[in-house]
Amino acid sequence: MNEVHLLYFASLRDAAGVDAERVRTAAPDLAALYAEQQARHGFALPLARLRVAVDGAFARWDEPVRSGCEIAFIPPVSGG
Amino acid sequence: MNEVHLLYFASLRDAAGVDAERVRTAAPDLAALYAEQQARHGFALPLARLRVAVDGAFARWDEPVRSGCEIAFIPPVSGG
Amino acid sequence: MSMRMQHERGFALLDTTLDPMRLREQLQHDRAGAFACFEGWVRDHNDGRAVLGLRYEAYRGMAEREGARVVEEARARFDICDAHCVHRVGDLAIGDMAVWVGVSAAHRGAAFDACRYIIDTIKDRVPIWKHERYADGDAGWLHPAADPRAVTR
Amino acid sequence: MSMRMQHERGFALLDTTLDPMRLREQLQHDRAGAFACFEGWVRDHNDGRAVLGLRYEAYRGMAEREGARVVEEARARFDICDAHCVHRVGDLAIGDMAVWVGVSAAHRGAAFDACRYIIDTIKDRVPIWKHERYADGDAGWLHPAADPRAVTR
């Protein structure tokens, strides 16, 4: 089990009801971690439309989950 | 013979020593008129690098010279 | 000289009104003959719906780093003197400026290309989200499908 | 609405300092989400020579008509809200603004494209000439060979 800090933004935060949470997870990679949180919070956005960031930098979905990281699921951005 | 009002700008004005003059000419078209004035004033710019305007609108070199017109030889522009 | 005068960080998030004159002055160099600039303004409509106002939210630390990286990429790719981008966060009204991009260069081609690159890439990659309020009472986050014209990473 | 608010004449020659804030304000519309702008500044060099200052001269009546026609062409070709261009005549110093082009539009693609079209075409077609004074004491009119990238008539 790894313990990570999750950040939620925009529609994901509205769905989760919190902007951050600490979770313990057995998910082997970031894709599995999203699937787990998607099931728990009922996120409408499929993984294919998201990017993921670890400690503030874009990461790949197949990277392993490491304890102590800050992980953000990035919904399609709409700045500018 | 037609009498026209000629305007000179930039390097053509420097070469002619005047910014405008009234001339009587037998030149049949605007190209011949430029050749005539080029010989008279020693303009360095060949016709191929100029455009010509009649009464403030671009014209074609093969248009006839009409009495009373304002004719400007337009050296390559350098605004902007 | 131009290297020294470049902003340490080419991108900033601001929660106060953007001042285009001050931003513009920071990019002036005697060797710059061209200045291209883009401003994003809050429109009164989007996809056919009347918009009352909006709010921008950012993943602040990451947005600052990604935004600065985009401006650095533009400085490296194009023959420019300097470039800078600022983006609003918080509540905005119709007509407010949401984003400002400015580029100075010796010649206009590089200034236009770099300016376009920066705004396209900011919109594609920097974690900022827009929440719109509509005249019909509805409101929501914008999560656009990928723009096929956008520059991808 | 936008048609009514458009400037009667989209181009002007001015012999006084250009004010980008005032010019910019004239293009604001609630339906405009994008604003692209280009400024030409007097550079301290040209073709490797140090420049002290310059002077612009125009065939005034014709330049005003041709400039207005260029802006009208941009309004017709691109999906924009409004566009405007002003050009200086007279004496200018290093850093002074020689030309300003601004375009507002619902979306950024049209704003950039129209802005680029206007400055490219102004430089190609409007009868304005630049006289440069150099640090080596020389001075002269610029009569550039045709730019192969320029939009031709």
Side-chain angles (χ1 to χ4, degrees):
Chain A
M1 297 287 271
N2 292 299
E3 184 171 310
V4 294
H5 191 62
L6 295 182
L7 302 181
Y8 301 119
F9 295 98
S11 64
L12 295 188
R13 189 197 46 238
D14 288 358
V18 294
D19 57 9
E21 61 182 349
R22 206 163 281 283
V23 302
R24 287 173 58 78
T25 177
D29 62 17
L30 298 168
L33 178 64
Y34 181 69
E36 198 178 87
Q37 302 310 311
Q38 186 177 26
R40 193 156 75 90
H41 292 301
F43 295 148
L45 285 166
L47 179 140
R49 298 201 53 212
L50 301 178
R51 296 184 220 184
V52 62
V54 175
D55 291 336
F58 284 115
R60 290 169 34 170
W61 286 109
D62 61 2
E63 288 180 26
V65 175
R66 285 172 288 114
S67 258
C69 284
E70 178 181 278
I71 296 169
F73 302 119
I74 310 282
V77 301
S78 47
Chain B
M1 295 287 272
N2 293 299
E3 184 172 310
V4 295
H5 192 62
L6 296 182
L7 304 181
Y8 301 119
F9 295 98
S11 66
L12 294 188
R13 190 199 44 240
D14 288 358
V18 293
D19 57 8
E21 60 181 350
R22 204 163 284 282
V23 302
R24 288 173 58 79
T25 177
D29 62 18
L30 298 169
L33 178 64
Y34 181 70
E36 198 178 86
Q37 301 311 311
Q38 185 177 26
R40 192 156 75 91
H41 291 300
F43 294 148
L45 285 166
L47 180 139
R49 297 199 56 212
L50 302 178
R51 296 183 223 186
V52 62
V54 175
D55 292 336
F58 284 114
R60 290 169 34 168
W61 286 109
D62 61 3
E63 288 180 26
V65 174
R66 285 173 288 115
S67 259
C69 283
E70 176 180 281
I71 296 169
F73 302 118
I74 311 281
V77 301
S78 47
Chain C
M1 181 188 84
S2 108
M3 292 308 292
R4 184 172 52 77
M5 291 178 69
Q6 282 184 1
H7 309 285
E8 293 277 314
R9 189 172 267 264
F11 180 86
L13 288 174
L14 289 180
D15 47 21
T16 52
T17 305
L18 306 185
D19 178 349
M21 282 306 282
R22 273 206 50 199
L23 292 163
R24 175 182 169 283
E25 277 162 24
Q26 295 174 338
L27 298 181
Q28 290 180 334
H29 298 258
D30 283 353
R31 67 188 190 83
F35 171 71
C37 155
F38 175 81
E39 299 180 9
W41 296 342
V42 178
R43 273 201 314 264
D44 66 0
H45 68 285
N46 190 21
D47 267 332
R49 302 175 82 178
V51 173
L52 298 182
L54 55 78
R55 180 157 53 92
Y56 280 107
E57 171 184 294
Y59 177 6
R60 186 175 274 271
M62 183 179 175
E64 286 169 345
R65 276 194 300 277
E66 277 298 306
R69 191 172 297 170
V70 169
V71 173
E72 278 310 313
E73 288 168 6
R75 289 174 180 162
R77 285 186 190 206
F78 303 100
D79 185 14
I80 62 179
C81 296
D82 206 351
H84 195 56
C85 176
V86 289
H87 200 295
R88 277 295 308 275
V89 287
D91 292 310
L92 283 83
I94 305 301
D96 282 357
M97 202 195 307
V99 60
W100 184 92
V101 180
V103 177
S104 58
H107 300 286
R108 72 189 186 285
F112 272 111
D113 291 346
C115 190
R116 186 79 200 252
Y117 175 82
I118 291 170
I119 186 62
D120 285 352
T121 312
I122 294 285
K123 288 177 83 93
D124 178 56
R125 207 165 93 192
V126 175
I128 301 172
W129 297 272
K130 177 158 59 175
H131 185 267
E132 283 184 343
R133 286 183 298 107
Y134 304 102
D136 61 15
D138 202 6
W141 293 99
L142 277 83
H143 292 316
D147 177 350
R149 292 199 47 202
V151 178
T152 52
R153 210 178 174 207
Chain D
M1 182 188 85
S2 109
M3 291 308 292
R4 184 171 52 78
M5 291 178 69
Q6 284 184 357
H7 311 284
E8 294 278 314
R9 189 170 267 265
F11 180 86
L13 289 174
L14 288 179
D15 48 20
T16 51
T17 305
L18 306 185
D19 179 348
M21 282 306 282
R22 272 206 51 198
L23 292 164
R24 175 182 170 283
E25 277 161 25
Q26 295 174 337
L27 298 181
Q28 290 181 334
H29 298 258
D30 283 353
R31 66 187 190 85
F35 170 72
C37 154
F38 176 81
E39 298 179 10
W41 296 342
V42 179
R43 272 202 314 264
D44 65 2
H45 67 285
N46 191 22
D47 268 331
R49 300 175 83 177
V51 173
L52 298 182
L54 55 79
R55 180 157 52 92
Y56 280 106
E57 171 183 294
Y59 179 4
R60 185 174 275 272
M62 183 179 176
E64 286 170 345
R65 275 194 300 278
E66 277 298 306
R69 191 172 298 171
V70 170
V71 173
E72 277 310 314
E73 288 168 6
R75 288 175 179 161
R77 284 186 190 207
F78 303 100
D79 184 15
I80 62 179
C81 295
D82 207 351
H84 195 56
C85 177
V86 291
H87 200 296
R88 278 294 309 275
V89 287
D91 293 310
L92 282 82
I94 305 300
D96 281 356
M97 201 195 307
V99 60
W100 184 93
V101 181
V103 177
S104 58
H107 301 285
R108 73 188 186 284
F112 273 111
D113 292 346
C115 189
R116 185 79 199 252
Y117 175 83
I118 290 170
I119 186 62
D120 285 351
T121 312
I122 293 285
K123 287 176 84 94
D124 178 57
R125 207 166 91 192
V126 175
I128 301 173
W129 297 273
K130 176 158 59 176
H131 185 267
E132 283 184 342
R133 287 184 298 107
Y134 304 103
D136 60 16
D138 202 6
W141 293 101
L142 277 82
H143 291 317
D147 177 352
R149 292 198 47 203
V151 177
T152 51
R153 212 179 176 208

